[in-house]
Amino acid sequence: MPKSTSINSSILLFIFFFFYFLLSSFQLTASSNFQKSNPGFLGKFAQKIQQKPYQYETKYYTQTLDHFSFSDLPTFQQRYLISTDHWSGPKRLGPIFLYCGNEGDIEWFASNTGFVWEIAPRFGAMVVFPEHRYYGKSMPYGSREKAYEDSASLAHLTAEQALADFAVLVTDLKTNLSAEACPVVLFGGSYGGMLAAWMRLKYPHIAIGALASSAPILQFENIVPPETFYDIVSNDFKRESVSCFDYIKNSWEAIEAEGKKADGLSHLTRTFHLCQKLNSTDDLSNWLSSAYSYLAMVDYPYPSEFLMPLPANPIKEVCKKIDDHPQEAGVLERIFSGVSIYYNYTGTVDCFDLGDDPHGMSGWDWQACTEMVMPMSSSKHNSMFPAYDYNYSSFQDQCFKDYAVKPRNRWITTEFGGHDLKTTLKTFGSNIIFSNGLLDPWSGGSVLQNVSETVIALVTKLGTLYKYCLFDHFFLVT
């Protein structure tokens, strides 16, 4: 897939000057004596950004467990990463670039968010990466085991509490550094992008703007069709190879049929090189489905090592493996060969653990069962996944079985909005950029049209943008 340098440069220039004039206006208003030179910004980001060992300090902040009550609850240590290497300081009103931590270890996001690091010197900005509560090392009650013990200990794992964490932390940080007048700009991707947009709306006195990449803030309460996500994933595969799409679409019945045989589960365990014997075909299907979804999110035109070590254009490589098997090869062998591009491209994995969670993201299951209720379904004709309709009652029953809680499927739209979002953002929002690549399956639930002069949608038609590896890659895949 060829790069489009002119398009990429234009997008970068727009974002740069958007924030440049935003910060300049803020600084000139705050101090008429301060003038900032116009830094050069041409060409560099229109090519692949190399992974860099970004430099930062790791610190901890004593954080309140419940910001919305006065109960005598224990505090916890929230980790945050901070770099002041390029900060121009409080006297020059140096801005603070705050990345809204996602559902995982914050170091993982910091090492894969190159755009923030690259532009920080040009703005003289401090960079701060606060970790989301209940992820990484920011564990209430002293340990992950105690934090995840039951619904009572998990009760404070919410988006509202996380936003309050960010607000309290950055406010205290500014006070300690005598930087109360320094502007804060928010960044984030996917869930972090949602948090960035929501924080700009909820705490406009703390942050003057936000860049929300791949932020599916409309993926709630049937605001967008529930089949949108899986249709986009399926189209990503179909555009590479119709036969590959068909093999994957037919594989689910083949897996289910094999699993019903006397020794079927054992045969599937051997075929897919699983570490433990398969208990059900559903476990295998979920493992495969996850791989296809993640591949659509990280289908970059160059090698990457974000979620997994992957080649350039990984969907193309998966489909080559599936399509190029000998004619007599069965569908299961083809599927295993293809999915190994995602799970074992380096060839170093001897067997696969279906329950592996290398990035510590399992807390999202709780969030999805409480307030982050995103209806999804799979269409019969357009999707390569097994067809199913979203069933809220079944979802509710499963959440109660897993966590003894019932989801609040209308809470997010009540708290942050969503219905008639254009009117809401036009009336109450400002200084937000929503950036999306249309090959990214999360783009279907994001804001894809300009809302006002200061609530902007930047879209690349053939772009992909994964929720964590956001700013390194968005501008490069067109």
Side-chain angles (χ1 to χ4, degrees):
M1 194 187 311
K3 300 178 185 177
S4 175
T5 303
S6 61
I7 293 177
N8 294 335
S9 298
S10 297
I11 292 174
L12 280 167
L13 283 170
F14 179 88
I15 291 179
F16 178 82
F17 285 115
F18 183 93
F19 285 126
Y20 177 76
F21 288 117
L22 175 65
L23 292 170
S24 296
S25 298
F26 177 90
Q27 292 162 337
L28 288 171
T29 300
S31 175
S32 59
N33 295 322
F34 173 66
Q35 294 183 359
K36 186 177 178 68
S37 61
N38 188 355
F41 191 83
L42 288 173
K44 182 175 181 181
F45 292 95
Q47 52 189 325
K48 183 179 183 296
I49 301 172
Q50 298 297 323
Q51 187 79 355
K52 297 180 180 179
Y54 304 118
Q55 300 298 314
Y56 51 76
E57 292 182 79
T58 300
K59 296 187 177 184
Y60 288 85
Y61 178 76
T62 301
Q63 191 61 264
T64 301
L65 182 58
D66 186 358
H67 295 283
F68 307 110
S69 78
F70 294 90
S71 302
D72 186 18
L73 296 172
T75 59
F76 70 97
Q77 295 300 299
Q78 180 184 16
R79 181 171 55 158
Y80 66 98
L81 315 178
I82 182 171
S83 173
T84 57
D85 291 349
H86 303 288
W87 188 41
S88 57
K91 291 183 179 180
R92 294 175 60 85
L93 297 183
I96 298 171
F97 289 172
L98 187 143
Y99 179 91
C100 297
N102 297 57
E103 68 281 28
D105 191 298
I106 194 60
E107 291 185 338
W108 181 32
F109 301 111
S111 64
N112 288 282
T113 311
F115 183 60
V116 175
W117 297 104
E118 294 289 344
I119 67 172
R122 291 162 170 76
F123 287 101
M126 178 195 305
V127 176
V128 183
F129 278 77
E131 189 164 59
H132 195 298
R133 56 171 54 204
Y134 287 83
Y135 294 103
K137 294 184 178 180
S138 300
M139 289 293 167
Y141 305 107
S143 69
R144 188 184 188 284
E145 289 72 24
K146 291 182 179 179
Y148 281 66
E149 187 173 6
D150 53 32
S151 59
S153 61
L154 281 165
H156 299 102
L157 173 49
T158 68
E160 297 83 1
Q161 297 283 4
L163 291 180
D165 287 343
F166 300 158
V168 169
L169 186 151
V170 73
T171 299
D172 188 73
L173 182 65
K174 291 173 71 174
T175 300
N176 291 336
L177 295 174
S178 300
E180 291 91 340
C182 293
V184 176
V185 178
L186 307 168
F187 297 81
S190 190
Y191 175 46
M194 297 159 73
L195 293 175
W198 290 337
M199 185 170 178
R200 168 59 187 156
L201 293 172
K202 288 290 184 179
Y203 297 93
H205 56 291
I206 290 178
I208 67 167
L211 173 53
S213 293
S214 190
I217 62 173
L218 304 179
Q219 196 78 44
F220 297 95
E221 208 180 338
N222 292 322
I223 298 173
V224 298
E227 64 272 11
T228 299
F229 181 92
Y230 287 115
D231 277 0
I232 295 176
V233 175
S234 300
N235 288 335
D236 289 350
F237 280 79
K238 182 180 283 187
R239 67 188 294 272
E240 292 294 350
S241 167
V242 174
S243 59
C244 175
F245 171 94
D246 289 337
Y247 277 123
I248 294 173
K249 188 175 181 67
N250 294 329
S251 68
W252 313 109
E253 289 186 4
I255 290 171
E256 186 175 353
E258 183 64 31
K260 292 179 179 178
K261 296 180 181 178
D263 195 38
L265 292 178
S266 295
H267 179 247
L268 289 172
T269 300
R270 293 190 297 271
T271 300
F272 287 90
H273 295 202
L274 305 182
C275 298
Q276 293 87 28
K277 183 179 178 181
L278 197 63
N279 292 319
S280 73
T281 56
D282 286 343
D283 293 339
L284 177 59
S285 295
N286 290 336
W287 184 69
L288 294 171
S289 177
S290 294
Y292 301 140
S293 297
Y294 285 132
L295 281 162
M297 299 174 194
V298 294
D299 192 26
Y300 308 133
Y302 46 79
S304 66
E305 295 188 5
F306 177 55
L307 287 177
M308 296 284 188
L310 291 172
N313 303 300
I315 289 182
K316 183 187 293 291
E317 296 303 317
V318 169
C319 285
K320 280 184 180 179
K321 286 289 187 180
I322 291 176
D323 289 340
D324 292 350
H325 260 58
Q327 190 65 35
E328 63 273 13
V331 65
L332 298 182
E333 289 74 17
R334 291 177 184 270
I335 294 299
F336 173 71
S337 180
V339 80
S340 293
I341 293 291
Y342 179 75
Y343 284 117
N344 193 21
Y345 180 63
T346 61
T348 58
V349 180
D350 295 325
C351 66
F352 302 104
D353 181 0
L354 301 190
D356 190 26
D357 180 25
H359 302 298
M361 297 191 295
S362 61
W364 183 255
D365 295 337
W366 162 268
Q367 291 188 258
C369 267
T370 49
E371 61 178 5
M372 306 299 289
V373 182
M374 297 182 172
M376 290 187 181
S377 63
S378 179
S379 58
K380 182 177 181 180
H381 299 292
N382 296 328
S383 175
M384 67 183 190
F385 298 91
Y388 70 91
D389 293 324
Y390 179 71
N391 188 314
Y392 178 69
S393 295
S394 297
F395 174 73
Q396 190 177 44
D397 291 344
Q398 187 62 49
C399 288
F400 192 82
K401 177 181 178 182
D402 292 342
Y403 296 106
V405 295
K406 291 184 178 181
R408 297 179 183 175
N409 63 319
R410 302 189 67 181
W411 175 244
I412 286 294
T413 56
T414 302
E415 174 73 1
F416 299 114
H419 297 286
D420 196 18
L421 188 71
K422 186 173 182 179
T423 299
T424 301
L425 288 175
K426 191 171 184 178
T427 305
F428 301 105
S430 64
N431 299 340
I432 304 174
I433 296 176
F434 292 96
S435 62
N436 286 277
L438 295 186
L439 296 185
D440 169 36
W442 289 116
S443 67
S446 188
V447 177
L448 301 178
Q449 294 181 334
N450 292 347
V451 174
S452 67
E453 290 184 356
T454 61
V455 179
I456 306 298
L458 295 181
V459 177
T460 54
K461 185 177 181 180
L462 297 180
T464 182
L465 171 63
Y466 186 45
K467 55 187 176 182
Y468 311 121
C469 218
L470 49 145
F471 304 112
D472 272 344
H473 301 127
F474 171 72
F475 309 105
L476 310 175
V477 189
T478 55

